[in-house]
Amino acid sequence: MERLTTEYIGYHVPIATCSMNRLGEADDCSDCKETCEQYAGACSTCPIQKAFSKLAEYEDLEEQGRLLRLPCNIGEPIFVIPSVVNYKLNVLNGFEKNNRVYEQIVCNVVFTKNDYLLNTCDGFCNVRGKGYGETWFLCREEAEAALQEMQEGAE
């Protein structure tokens, strides 16, 4: 995410309202006193300033690698297909019927050092976040298309 806020004299303000020095710090920022209907003599009481501060907090967390956006919520369905290796093993061992799309409900999320795992409610599978768009999908049509590509590649 592109950073939208910067700190200026103790407040978080939109970067677009500031001139920046060569170090990337705010030199001067436009004052909102003339345009802000909420201004009551101090920015600390302004609801807009509170929103800027909250946005700055999220931006700081993202820069620190502590903010993660998950592609789905707990309780939502995901659609899982076998990996390429499992697909080939299923064919080799006569279990072609297992090469299909499985609908699973996300039960919980486990965070690891470099990734996350989505666990399904029935315990059928745990999918890695890095596998999104390869072995698990948010809609059935995308999963079926990926499975079809895998079938065509194996022939």
Side-chain angles (χ1 to χ4, degrees):
M1 161 169 45
E2 175 189 354
R3 187 155 190 110
L4 301 174
T5 62
T6 188
E7 192 169 338
Y8 180 69
I9 59 171
Y11 297 103
H12 290 98
V13 295
I15 288 175
T17 66
C18 302
S19 61
M20 307 300 273
N21 66 21
R22 60 186 169 87
L23 300 175
E25 301 165 337
D27 264 347
D28 187 35
C29 295
S30 300
D31 202 344
C32 64
K33 293 177 189 174
E34 293 81 29
T35 58
C36 181
E37 296 175 11
Q38 301 293 325
Y39 185 74
C43 289
S44 60
T45 62
C46 177
I48 296 170
Q49 175 57 44
K50 289 178 184 174
F52 287 142
S53 294
K54 190 65 157 180
L55 174 59
E57 179 183 346
Y58 288 137
E59 290 173 332
D60 291 344
L61 289 170
E62 184 173 53
E63 286 175 355
Q64 297 164 14
R66 296 174 54 206
L67 182 67
L68 177 67
R69 284 183 218 184
L70 297 173
C72 60
N73 290 322
I74 292 172
E76 290 184 344
I78 59 171
F79 300 90
V80 182
I81 62 173
S83 67
V84 173
V85 171
N86 286 339
Y87 181 91
K88 290 178 181 179
L89 286 172
N90 285 337
V91 171
L92 183 66
N93 293 313
F95 297 111
E96 291 91 351
K97 65 180 180 177
N98 293 339
N99 291 336
R100 63 183 182 87
V101 176
Y102 294 87
E103 181 175 345
Q104 299 291 303
I105 303 299
V106 175
C107 186
N108 63 41
V109 181
V110 177
F111 296 95
T112 64
K113 183 175 181 181
N114 297 317
D115 201 1
Y116 61 91
L117 301 172
L118 298 180
N119 297 318
T120 59
C121 291
D122 64 2
F124 173 75
C125 67
N126 300 322
V127 293
R128 294 177 52 132
K130 292 179 182 176
Y132 176 57
E134 294 175 18
T135 58
W136 67 277
F137 304 85
L138 298 179
C139 70
R140 180 177 293 279
E141 293 77 19
E142 290 176 352
E144 289 172 350
L147 188 61
Q148 182 67 35
E149 281 182 34
M150 204 179 299
Q151 288 170 340
E152 291 169 2
E155 294 174 356

mmCIF file of all heavy atoms in Angstrom, residues 49-70:
data_model
loop_
_atom_site.group_PDB
_atom_site.id
_atom_site.type_symbol
_atom_site.label_atom_id
_atom_site.label_comp_id
_atom_site.label_asym_id
_atom_site.label_seq_id
_atom_site.Cartn_x
_atom_site.Cartn_y
_atom_site.Cartn_z
ATOM 1 N N GLN A 49 -8.707 14.167 12.119
ATOM 2 C CA GLN A 49 -7.361 13.870 12.612
ATOM 3 C C GLN A 49 -7.302 12.476 13.209
ATOM 4 O O GLN A 49 -6.330 11.750 13.029
ATOM 5 C CB GLN A 49 -6.922 14.916 13.645
ATOM 6 C CG GLN A 49 -5.581 14.630 14.294
ATOM 7 C CD GLN A 49 -4.453 14.495 13.291
ATOM 8 O OE1 GLN A 49 -4.352 15.274 12.362
ATOM 9 N NE2 GLN A 49 -3.605 13.498 13.479
ATOM 10 N N LYS A 50 -8.349 12.067 13.886
ATOM 11 C CA LYS A 50 -8.390 10.712 14.444
ATOM 12 C C LYS A 50 -8.344 9.676 13.321
ATOM 13 O O LYS A 50 -7.683 8.643 13.447
ATOM 14 C CB LYS A 50 -9.630 10.533 15.315
ATOM 15 C CG LYS A 50 -9.549 11.316 16.615
ATOM 16 C CD LYS A 50 -10.799 11.158 17.427
ATOM 17 C CE LYS A 50 -10.712 12.034 18.684
ATOM 18 N NZ LYS A 50 -11.941 12.029 19.450
ATOM 19 N N ALA A 51 -9.028 9.950 12.206
ATOM 20 C CA ALA A 51 -9.002 9.036 11.056
ATOM 21 C C ALA A 51 -7.605 8.987 10.443
ATOM 22 O O ALA A 51 -7.113 7.907 10.093
ATOM 23 C CB ALA A 51 -10.029 9.467 10.017
ATOM 24 N N PHE A 52 -6.949 10.143 10.320
ATOM 25 C CA PHE A 52 -5.575 10.158 9.802
ATOM 26 C C PHE A 52 -4.641 9.375 10.712
ATOM 27 O O PHE A 52 -3.765 8.647 10.250
ATOM 28 C CB PHE A 52 -5.054 11.595 9.658
ATOM 29 C CG PHE A 52 -5.654 12.350 8.507
ATOM 30 C CD1 PHE A 52 -5.947 13.691 8.639
ATOM 31 C CD2 PHE A 52 -5.914 11.734 7.290
ATOM 32 C CE1 PHE A 52 -6.486 14.407 7.585
ATOM 33 C CE2 PHE A 52 -6.455 12.443 6.230
ATOM 34 C CZ PHE A 52 -6.749 13.782 6.374
ATOM 35 N N SER A 53 -4.815 9.514 12.009
ATOM 36 C CA SER A 53 -3.965 8.791 12.959
ATOM 37 C C SER A 53 -4.166 7.281 12.845
ATOM 38 O O SER A 53 -3.204 6.506 12.898
ATOM 39 C CB SER A 53 -4.242 9.247 14.388
ATOM 40 O OG SER A 53 -3.859 10.598 14.542
ATOM 41 N N LYS A 54 -5.417 6.856 12.670
ATOM 42 C CA LYS A 54 -5.706 5.429 12.520
ATOM 43 C C LYS A 54 -5.102 4.897 11.223
ATOM 44 O O LYS A 54 -4.494 3.812 11.206
ATOM 45 C CB LYS A 54 -7.224 5.201 12.547
ATOM 46 C CG LYS A 54 -7.614 3.761 12.631
ATOM 47 C CD LYS A 54 -7.166 3.182 13.945
ATOM 48 C CE LYS A 54 -7.978 1.982 14.315
ATOM 49 N NZ LYS A 54 -7.559 1.421 15.580
ATOM 50 N N LEU A 55 -5.248 5.654 10.138
ATOM 51 C CA LEU A 55 -4.651 5.255 8.876
ATOM 52 C C LEU A 55 -3.136 5.165 9.007
ATOM 53 O O LEU A 55 -2.517 4.210 8.535
ATOM 54 C CB LEU A 55 -5.024 6.245 7.767
ATOM 55 C CG LEU A 55 -4.354 6.024 6.416
ATOM 56 C CD1 LEU A 55 -4.664 4.644 5.863
ATOM 57 C CD2 LEU A 55 -4.780 7.113 5.442
ATOM 58 N N ALA A 56 -2.511 6.124 9.674
ATOM 59 C CA ALA A 56 -1.063 6.106 9.875
ATOM 60 C C ALA A 56 -0.644 4.876 10.672
ATOM 61 O O ALA A 56 0.392 4.265 10.388
ATOM 62 C CB ALA A 56 -0.616 7.385 10.583
ATOM 63 N N GLU A 57 -1.442 4.477 11.647
ATOM 64 C CA GLU A 57 -1.135 3.284 12.439
ATOM 65 C C GLU A 57 -1.118 2.041 11.545
ATOM 66 O O GLU A 57 -0.206 1.215 11.622
ATOM 67 C CB GLU A 57 -2.169 3.119 13.554
ATOM 68 C CG GLU A 57 -1.972 1.918 14.427
ATOM 69 C CD GLU A 57 -3.071 1.757 15.480
ATOM 70 O OE1 GLU A 57 -3.837 2.708 15.713
ATOM 71 O OE2 GLU A 57 -3.147 0.667 16.054
ATOM 72 N N TYR A 58 -2.118 1.915 10.654
ATOM 73 C CA TYR A 58 -2.160 0.786 9.732
ATOM 74 C C TYR A 58 -0.973 0.825 8.763
ATOM 75 O O TYR A 58 -0.388 -0.203 8.445
ATOM 76 C CB TYR A 58 -3.475 0.752 8.951
ATOM 77 C CG TYR A 58 -4.665 0.337 9.782
ATOM 78 C CD1 TYR A 58 -5.876 1.006 9.678
ATOM 79 C CD2 TYR A 58 -4.587 -0.736 10.659
ATOM 80 C CE1 TYR A 58 -6.971 0.621 10.433
ATOM 81 C CE2 TYR A 58 -5.685 -1.120 11.423
ATOM 82 C CZ TYR A 58 -6.865 -0.445 11.299
ATOM 83 O OH TYR A 58 -7.947 -0.830 12.041
ATOM 84 N N GLU A 59 -0.634 2.012 8.286
ATOM 85 C CA GLU A 59 0.515 2.135 7.383
ATOM 86 C C GLU A 59 1.808 1.731 8.081
ATOM 87 O O GLU A 59 2.652 1.036 7.496
ATOM 88 C CB GLU A 59 0.612 3.568 6.854
ATOM 89 C CG GLU A 59 -0.499 3.936 5.891
ATOM 90 C CD GLU A 59 -0.503 5.392 5.500
ATOM 91 O OE1 GLU A 59 -0.042 6.254 6.292
ATOM 92 O OE2 GLU A 59 -0.972 5.689 4.397
ATOM 93 N N ASP A 60 1.974 2.140 9.338
ATOM 94 C CA ASP A 60 3.161 1.756 10.110
ATOM 95 C C ASP A 60 3.231 0.237 10.276
ATOM 96 O O ASP A 60 4.287 -0.372 10.098
ATOM 97 C CB ASP A 60 3.164 2.425 11.487
ATOM 98 C CG ASP A 60 3.373 3.926 11.434
ATOM 99 O OD1 ASP A 60 3.813 4.439 10.385
ATOM 100 O OD2 ASP A 60 3.080 4.588 12.451
ATOM 101 N N LEU A 61 2.101 -0.385 10.621
ATOM 102 C CA LEU A 61 2.058 -1.837 10.790
ATOM 103 C C LEU A 61 2.399 -2.558 9.493
ATOM 104 O O LEU A 61 3.137 -3.546 9.499
ATOM 105 C CB LEU A 61 0.682 -2.284 11.294
ATOM 106 C CG LEU A 61 0.345 -1.918 12.734
ATOM 107 C CD1 LEU A 61 -1.126 -2.204 13.027
ATOM 108 C CD2 LEU A 61 1.239 -2.663 13.707
ATOM 109 N N GLU A 62 1.893 -2.046 8.372
ATOM 110 C CA GLU A 62 2.195 -2.682 7.093
ATOM 111 C C GLU A 62 3.678 -2.567 6.766
ATOM 112 O O GLU A 62 4.306 -3.529 6.323
ATOM 113 C CB GLU A 62 1.368 -2.056 5.976
ATOM 114 C CG GLU A 62 1.575 -2.762 4.652
ATOM 115 C CD GLU A 62 0.653 -2.270 3.585
ATOM 116 O OE1 GLU A 62 0.608 -1.043 3.359
ATOM 117 O OE2 GLU A 62 -0.014 -3.105 2.962
ATOM 118 N N GLU A 63 4.277 -1.406 7.015
ATOM 119 C CA GLU A 63 5.710 -1.220 6.765
ATOM 120 C C GLU A 63 6.549 -2.142 7.644
ATOM 121 O O GLU A 63 7.629 -2.574 7.244
ATOM 122 C CB GLU A 63 6.114 0.234 7.000
ATOM 123 C CG GLU A 63 5.643 1.164 5.904
ATOM 124 C CD GLU A 63 5.946 2.620 6.192
ATOM 125 O OE1 GLU A 63 6.443 2.962 7.291
ATOM 126 O OE2 GLU A 63 5.679 3.443 5.295
ATOM 127 N N GLN A 64 6.064 -2.483 8.822
ATOM 128 C CA GLN A 64 6.781 -3.373 9.741
ATOM 129 C C GLN A 64 6.513 -4.851 9.439
ATOM 130 O O GLN A 64 7.067 -5.729 10.091
ATOM 131 C CB GLN A 64 6.359 -3.082 11.192
ATOM 132 C CG GLN A 64 6.701 -1.700 11.669
ATOM 133 C CD GLN A 64 5.938 -1.334 12.941
ATOM 134 O OE1 GLN A 64 5.357 -2.192 13.606
ATOM 135 N NE2 GLN A 64 5.925 -0.058 13.276
ATOM 136 N N GLY A 65 5.654 -5.128 8.466
ATOM 137 C CA GLY A 65 5.316 -6.509 8.139
ATOM 138 C C GLY A 65 4.368 -7.137 9.143
ATOM 139 O O GLY A 65 4.291 -8.358 9.249
ATOM 140 N N ARG A 66 3.635 -6.311 9.878
ATOM 141 C CA ARG A 66 2.739 -6.829 10.920
ATOM 142 C C ARG A 66 1.265 -6.713 10.548
ATOM 143 O O ARG A 66 0.404 -6.957 11.371
ATOM 144 C CB ARG A 66 3.005 -6.075 12.230
ATOM 145 C CG ARG A 66 4.422 -6.328 12.748
ATOM 146 C CD ARG A 66 4.751 -5.487 13.956
ATOM 147 N NE ARG A 66 3.774 -5.656 15.000
ATOM 148 C CZ ARG A 66 3.518 -4.733 15.926
ATOM 149 N NH1 ARG A 66 4.174 -3.596 15.929
ATOM 150 N NH2 ARG A 66 2.617 -4.953 16.851
ATOM 151 N N LEU A 67 0.991 -6.352 9.310
ATOM 152 C CA LEU A 67 -0.392 -6.242 8.853
ATOM 153 C C LEU A 67 -0.571 -7.188 7.672
ATOM 154 O O LEU A 67 0.189 -7.151 6.716
ATOM 155 C CB LEU A 67 -0.696 -4.807 8.415
ATOM 156 C CG LEU A 67 -2.114 -4.532 7.959
ATOM 157 C CD1 LEU A 67 -3.088 -4.654 9.124
ATOM 158 C CD2 LEU A 67 -2.221 -3.152 7.348
ATOM 159 N N LEU A 68 -1.550 -8.050 7.762
ATOM 160 C CA LEU A 68 -1.788 -9.049 6.736
ATOM 161 C C LEU A 68 -3.243 -9.006 6.319
ATOM 162 O O LEU A 68 -4.137 -8.998 7.168
ATOM 163 C CB LEU A 68 -1.446 -10.442 7.293
ATOM 164 C CG LEU A 68 -1.698 -11.626 6.397
ATOM 165 C CD1 LEU A 68 -0.748 -11.601 5.201
ATOM 166 C CD2 LEU A 68 -1.518 -12.911 7.176
ATOM 167 N N ARG A 69 -3.468 -8.984 5.027
ATOM 168 C CA ARG A 69 -4.831 -9.048 4.506
ATOM 169 C C ARG A 69 -5.094 -10.466 4.046
ATOM 170 O O ARG A 69 -4.412 -10.984 3.178
ATOM 171 C CB ARG A 69 -4.986 -8.122 3.308
ATOM 172 C CG ARG A 69 -5.083 -6.704 3.665
ATOM 173 C CD ARG A 69 -5.304 -5.903 2.434
ATOM 174 N NE ARG A 69 -4.546 -4.678 2.602
ATOM 175 C CZ ARG A 69 -4.546 -3.692 1.774
ATOM 176 N NH1 ARG A 69 -5.222 -3.764 0.666
ATOM 177 N NH2 ARG A 69 -3.848 -2.618 2.017
ATOM 178 N N LEU A 70 -6.082 -11.083 4.644
ATOM 179 C CA LEU A 70 -6.455 -12.436 4.254
ATOM 180 C C LEU A 70 -7.456 -12.362 3.103
ATOM 181 O O LEU A 70 -8.318 -11.482 3.087
ATOM 182 C CB LEU A 70 -7.064 -13.185 5.434
ATOM 183 C CG LEU A 70 -6.134 -13.400 6.624
ATOM 184 C CD1 LEU A 70 -6.897 -14.007 7.791
ATOM 185 C CD2 LEU A 70 -4.963 -14.275 6.238
#
